Amino acid sequence: MRYGNHGPYAKGAGNTGTVRSAGVDYFRMAAAFMVVAIHIAPFSCWSEDIDFLLTYCLCRVAVPFFFMTTGYFVLGPYVKSGFRRKRTFCKFMVKNTALYLAVTALYLPLTIYSKNLPEGIGGWMKGLLFDGIFYHLWYFPAVLVGCLLVVWLLRAGSQVPLLAAVATGLAYIIGLFGDSYYGAIQGVPKLEALYNGIFQISSYTRNGVFFAPVFLLLGMRIACMGRLYPKMVCVWGMALSVLLLMGEGLITYSLKWQRHNSMYVFLIPTMFFLFQLLLMFEGRAPAFTRKGSLVVYVIHPAVIVVLRGMAKGAGLTKLLVDNTFIQYVSVCVASFMAAVVLVRLKERL
């Protein structure tokens, strides 16, 4: 059985025994550009409301998608083997830990430049285990911690099949009230104290404890299903879920409940149907869709900093920075070009 790269950040995962889905692989690059949008808000120069719907509702499918690719391609084969493929799972964890440490070292100069270096041992532990030392690096510890938690739950609950689903579902609900639904618990002293305690350990609840596990488990569950749902069920299921997701986002936004906006209730059904639809596009996409999406994700914050500096030096800040759509397109193009160069360079080396 052949093993390769899965997700823009995952390495060393396994194939589920079917031909790799071209839909999943092509969507990796789209999802990477969605992450770039989240960090720029490209439509805010035209309309804050439109930008919120497109960027902070629809584009929020990106990170759950990446969690699900890991659940599908890594945890799925591991669970289906009866947890016998320990070497493969350990290889995945080791490679992604090494990757996380490498990109953390890569972003140390920018972290120092922005004066956001963690303070003390507690600050470093918080940064490395949950937040990441740069704002986009939180995904790496989230997927590592999330995988460990899901595997532990699945093995501990082998006699209670619903244990992992219930535990990850409850964790997600707890996370919701520290994220998009935070305003709903404000003013309740005990709950506020609980979440203040959580925020001392992790700045957000979108981490490897509250956010990642449910999507990792969902991807694993789809991998273990006998067959996918019928196509029209997935189409209509996703369409309805997306409408409900956007409605949920607008309601929590208008009520000013949102402390952050990564976690929504209707992200779960949206991802359940979306991922199955992507799996229906069989075949193989170019390897660049996997490797390139990783580079785009890792490098785009540095590209944002460089382009802003160049725009300021050239007196083009109003055009290339204040116009967020042009900034977004510029960052995407530059990040993609850098990905092409770096991937080809690595292949030649």
Side-chain angles (χ1 to χ4, degrees):
M1 184 169 289
R2 180 178 179 275
Y3 294 94
N5 295 330
H6 305 284
Y9 329 104
K11 297 177 69 178
N15 196 305
T16 58
T18 60
V19 176
R20 178 187 297 279
S21 167
V24 170
D25 283 345
Y26 281 121
F27 196 78
R28 297 176 199 273
M29 190 62 72
F33 289 137
M34 289 180 189
V35 173
V36 179
I38 289 169
H39 295 152
I40 293 179
F43 308 106
S44 60
C45 58
W46 298 327
S47 169
E48 293 286 346
D49 293 335
I50 291 176
D51 185 72
F52 177 78
L53 281 174
L54 296 179
T55 306
Y56 298 107
C57 289
L58 290 183
C59 287
R60 285 302 184 188
V61 304
V63 173
F65 163 77
F66 291 133
F67 286 137
M68 288 184 69
T69 61
T70 300
Y72 185 85
F73 290 110
V74 179
L75 299 185
Y78 185 42
V79 172
K80 288 165 74 174
S81 73
F83 302 102
R84 289 189 294 272
R85 294 182 181 176
K86 293 180 181 179
R87 182 179 177 183
T88 302
F89 178 71
C90 290
K91 185 179 179 181
F92 165 80
M93 296 297 291
V94 169
K95 284 191 173 183
N96 280 275
T97 299
L99 177 61
Y100 176 40
L101 294 177
V103 295
T104 295
L106 180 68
Y107 272 90
L108 266 178
L110 269 180
T111 306
I112 295 171
Y113 173 76
S114 61
K115 299 179 180 179
N116 287 322
L117 205 64
E119 297 182 2
I121 296 177
W124 276 100
M125 292 294 289
K126 179 180 180 180
L128 290 175
L129 292 177
F130 294 104
D131 294 353
I133 67 163
F134 213 75
Y135 60 81
H136 70 312
L137 299 183
W138 69 271
Y139 176 88
F140 292 93
V143 75
L144 293 168
V145 172
C147 280
L148 289 174
L149 284 175
V150 169
V151 169
W152 178 77
L153 285 168
L154 289 170
R155 301 199 69 169
S158 58
Q159 303 303 318
V160 187
L162 290 178
L163 175 63
V166 171
T168 57
L170 286 175
Y172 192 79
I173 290 171
I174 293 171
L176 282 171
F177 287 100
D179 196 273
S180 293
Y181 287 79
Y182 182 66
I185 60 98
Q186 283 188 303
V188 182
K190 290 185 178 180
L191 289 177
E192 272 199 281
L194 170 64
Y195 281 93
N196 286 336
I198 291 174
F199 297 140
Q200 292 300 312
I201 301 171
S202 175
S203 297
Y204 303 96
T205 53
R206 56 105 172 94
N207 56 37
V209 176
F210 302 109
F211 186 22
V214 71
F215 293 107
L216 289 166
L217 186 67
L218 194 60
M220 182 279 296
R221 182 69 188 90
I222 292 175
C224 295
M225 285 167 50
R227 65 165 107 181
L228 301 177
Y229 280 34
K231 183 176 181 180
M232 291 311 299
V233 171
C234 293
V235 168
W236 286 106
M238 190 187 77
L240 178 59
S241 298
V242 166
L243 288 176
L244 293 171
L245 170 64
M246 295 174 70
E248 179 185 10
L250 282 175
I251 290 171
T252 53
Y253 177 71
S254 62
L255 291 175
K256 298 182 179 179
W257 280 1
Q258 295 185 346
R259 182 179 185 271
H260 200 249
N261 47 33
S262 291
M263 302 176 69
Y264 296 109
V265 172
F266 288 102
L267 260 180
I268 295 176
T270 297
M271 297 312 304
F272 179 71
F273 294 115
L274 171 61
F275 201 83
Q276 290 186 77
L277 283 173
L278 293 172
L279 288 172
M280 293 175 189
F281 294 90
E282 295 182 353
R284 291 183 182 274
F288 178 77
T289 57
R290 302 185 295 279
K291 299 174 183 178
S293 59
L294 166 62
V295 176
V296 169
Y297 180 83
V298 168
I299 206 172
H300 79 269
V303 172
I304 291 174
V305 173
V306 171
L307 289 183
R308 284 177 177 174
M310 292 174 62
K312 183 177 180 180
L316 297 173
T317 299
K318 187 172 182 179
L319 174 65
L320 298 179
V321 178
D322 294 343
N323 188 316
T324 53
F325 184 77
I326 293 179
Q327 182 188 12
Y328 172 69
V329 173
S330 302
V331 170
C332 287
V333 170
S335 298
F336 184 82
M337 291 175 63
V340 171
V341 171
L342 292 172
V343 169
R344 288 184 177 177
L345 179 62
K346 181 183 177 183
E347 290 174 349
R348 290 183 179 182
L349 292 176

